[in-house]
Amino acid sequence: MTRPRSAETPGRGVFARRMVEAGLAPARYARVLQSDDRAPLLQIVKTGVAASLAWIVCLAILPEQVPVFGAIAAIIVVQPSVNQSFAKALERTVGVIVGVIIAYLVELAFGPSTWIVLLAIILALLTGWALRLSQSTTVQLPISAMLVLSIGSQTPGYAAGRIVETALGAIVAVVINLLIVPPVRLQPAHDAVAALGRETAACLDGLARLLVEPSTAADRNRALVEVRLLAPMLTKARAAVTGAEESLRFNPRRRANSDALELDDDLLAMLGVIVGRVPGMVRGLADNYDESLHSESTVAGLADEMRKAAHDLRLVMQESDLRTVEPLPRTAELPALTAPFQVVTPSPTHWILIGSLIEDLRRVHEVVVEAGQSVRR
C-alpha cells in the first residue's frame, strides 16, 4: 500500500518549483555553460592539429621543457578567422613578454620573496590598464608574472622558455589557420541582407494597403509591430556583414569574394536608409488615421507609388540574389518608379500626413534607384 505523502514533505514538483524560485534550477546553469552557436567541427579539428604540431615543434626546439605553454597558445590563437588569429597571437605574445619583464623587474628590485608575487600581480594589472591593453592581454600579464616568480625561481631558463614556447605556439596556430581552409562567412551575411530586403518590401506593401483599404486599430497596431521588427533585423544584418568582413581580412580567398561582400554592403546601406524611414511612415499613418483619409484623391496614387517602391526594392534584391537559401519572389524585370507622380492639394486635415509620406517615399525611391544602378554595373 502506498503511504500518503505528508503535508510537511514537499512533492517533487513543489521542490523543483522552489529550486527555480531560489535560482538553483539546473537548467539555468546549463544555459550558462552551453551555447546556441556551436563552433564548426573544422575549427575543432584545426585547434587539435595546431596544438599537436605546436607541442612537437616546441619539444624539438626546447627538449628540456614540457611544452605546455606552446600548446596552450596554439589552442587560444586558433580563431574563426585569420584576422582574429593574428590578433590573439599578438595579444598572447605581448602579454607573456610584458608579464615576464614585470616579474624580472620586481624580483630585481625587491629580491626573492613570496610576497612579491602579489605585488607583481597588482603592478601587472595596473600596467595593462595604463597602457590601454585589451582585456585578454591585461589578464595575461599577471598570469605570466605570477608563474615566472613562483615557478621560474626553481626552474632555470623558465622565463625565456615561456616566451619562446608562446611565440612558437602562436605562429603554428596562425599558419594552420591560413593553410587549412580559412572560413569565409559570406553566406550568413547575404542571407541576412536578403531577409531584411524581403521584410522591408513587405512593410511597404502593407503600408500601401493601409492607405487604400479601411482598417481597424488592431490592423494598424499589427503593422506597427511588424515594422518595428526591421530594426533588430538591420542590427543582425550589420553584424553578419561585419563578421564576413572580419573573415576575409588576411584571408587567401579575399580577392575571389570581395566583390560579393561589397555588393552586400551596398545593399545594406540602402536598406539602412529605408528602414530609417518606413517605421516613421507607419507610425504617422497610425497616429493620424481617420476614415476620411481614403477619400483623398492623392492617397490612391500614393499607395500605388509605395507598391512600386516595394516592387523596385524586390527587383534590386532579386538582381543581386545569387546565393540565398530562400529565393526572392520573382517580379517584373523593369523598375516601376519611372513616371512622375501628380499630387493634388490635400485637405487641411491630411496635408501634413500626406506631405510627410511623399517626402519619405521620395528618399526611399532615391536610394532604391542608386542601389539598382550599383547592382547593374
Side-chain angles (χ1 to χ4, degrees):
M1 181 175 180
T2 305
R3 186 174 59 183
R5 186 181 289 118
S6 63
E8 290 80 11
T9 304
R12 179 177 297 178
V14 176
F15 179 75
R17 187 165 57 251
R18 289 179 179 176
M19 290 282 287
V20 172
E21 292 172 355
L24 300 175
R28 176 183 178 183
Y29 298 100
R31 288 194 297 268
V32 173
L33 295 175
Q34 293 181 325
S35 173
D36 295 333
D37 187 16
R38 185 166 57 180
L41 180 60
L42 178 61
Q43 185 175 343
I44 303 301
V45 173
K46 288 197 297 185
T47 303
V49 172
S52 303
L53 189 57
W55 184 284
I56 295 171
V57 171
C58 292
L59 198 60
I61 296 176
L62 300 170
E64 67 279 1
Q65 295 186 13
V66 179
V68 174
F69 299 107
I72 292 174
I75 292 171
I76 293 174
V77 170
V78 174
Q79 295 291 313
S81 72
V82 179
N83 183 57
Q84 290 173 333
S85 285
F86 274 121
K88 283 293 182 182
L90 186 62
E91 289 177 352
R92 180 78 179 177
T93 305
V94 170
V96 170
I97 293 174
V98 177
V100 169
I101 293 174
I102 291 173
Y104 174 76
L105 294 177
V106 168
E107 188 174 24
L108 186 65
F110 298 99
S113 178
T114 55
W115 65 269
I116 65 171
V117 176
L118 297 177
L119 177 61
I121 292 173
I122 295 173
L123 288 176
L125 291 172
L126 291 175
T127 300
W129 174 81
L131 296 177
R132 296 178 179 269
L133 299 178
S134 65
Q135 181 66 26
S136 57
T137 308
T138 301
V139 169
Q140 186 59 49
L141 301 185
I143 293 175
S144 297
M146 178 179 60
L147 291 174
V148 168
L149 290 175
S150 58
I151 302 176
S153 58
Q154 306 170 5
T155 307
Y158 174 83
R162 178 167 171 77
I163 294 175
V164 173
E165 278 188 26
T166 300
L168 288 173
I171 292 171
V172 169
V174 170
V175 171
I176 291 297
N177 217 20
L178 276 168
L179 295 179
I180 303 181
V181 194
V184 175
R185 303 179 62 185
L186 294 183
Q187 189 63 48
H190 187 75
D191 290 344
V193 173
L196 178 61
R198 284 193 296 270
E199 190 62 28
T200 305
C203 287
L204 284 170
D205 280 335
L207 181 57
R209 284 193 298 272
L210 289 177
L211 277 173
V212 296
E213 299 175 4
S215 61
T216 64
D219 295 330
R220 296 188 291 276
N221 287 333
R222 190 180 305 112
L224 281 171
V225 171
E226 291 175 356
V227 82
R228 285 171 184 156
L229 296 176
L230 294 178
M233 290 184 70
L234 178 62
T235 301
K236 179 182 177 181
R238 283 174 173 164
V241 170
T242 300
E245 292 173 347
E246 181 76 17
S247 71
L248 284 182
R249 290 195 183 102
F250 305 110
N251 196 308
R253 294 191 286 173
R254 176 181 177 82
R255 181 173 298 179
N257 295 280
S258 58
D259 290 342
L261 181 58
E262 185 177 351
L263 177 58
D264 284 338
D265 199 31
D266 291 341
L267 292 174
L268 186 60
M270 170 198 67
L271 292 171
V273 175
I274 300 176
V275 169
R277 296 276 177 168
V278 176
M281 297 166 75
V282 178
R283 167 56 68 185
L285 178 61
D287 291 345
N288 299 279
Y289 181 85
D290 62 59
E291 296 298 332
S292 64
L293 179 64
H294 306 300
S295 63
E296 291 283 351
S297 58
T298 306
V299 165
L302 183 57
D304 189 47
E305 294 299 309
M306 288 183 181
R307 284 191 288 266
K308 291 178 180 179
H311 163 276
D312 284 5
L313 176 57
R314 289 192 180 97
L315 180 60
V316 170
M317 301 301 298
Q318 181 177 287
E319 290 174 343
S320 65
D321 185 55
L322 302 176
R323 296 157 295 166
T324 46
V325 175
E326 180 182 351
L328 289 165
R330 299 300 299 178
T331 186
E333 295 181 357
L334 296 177
L337 284 170
T338 54
F341 172 45
Q342 300 295 329
V343 179
V344 179
T345 304
S347 67
T349 306
H350 303 125
W351 73 269
I352 294 179
L353 171 61
I354 293 176
S356 66
L357 290 176
I358 291 173
E359 172 56 25
D360 286 330
L361 184 59
R362 181 199 65 80
R363 181 57 179 147
V364 170
H365 177 203
E366 187 178 82
V367 296
V368 169
V369 170
E370 291 175 356
Q373 293 171 349
S374 175
V375 168
R376 297 181 189 104
R377 279 200 295 267

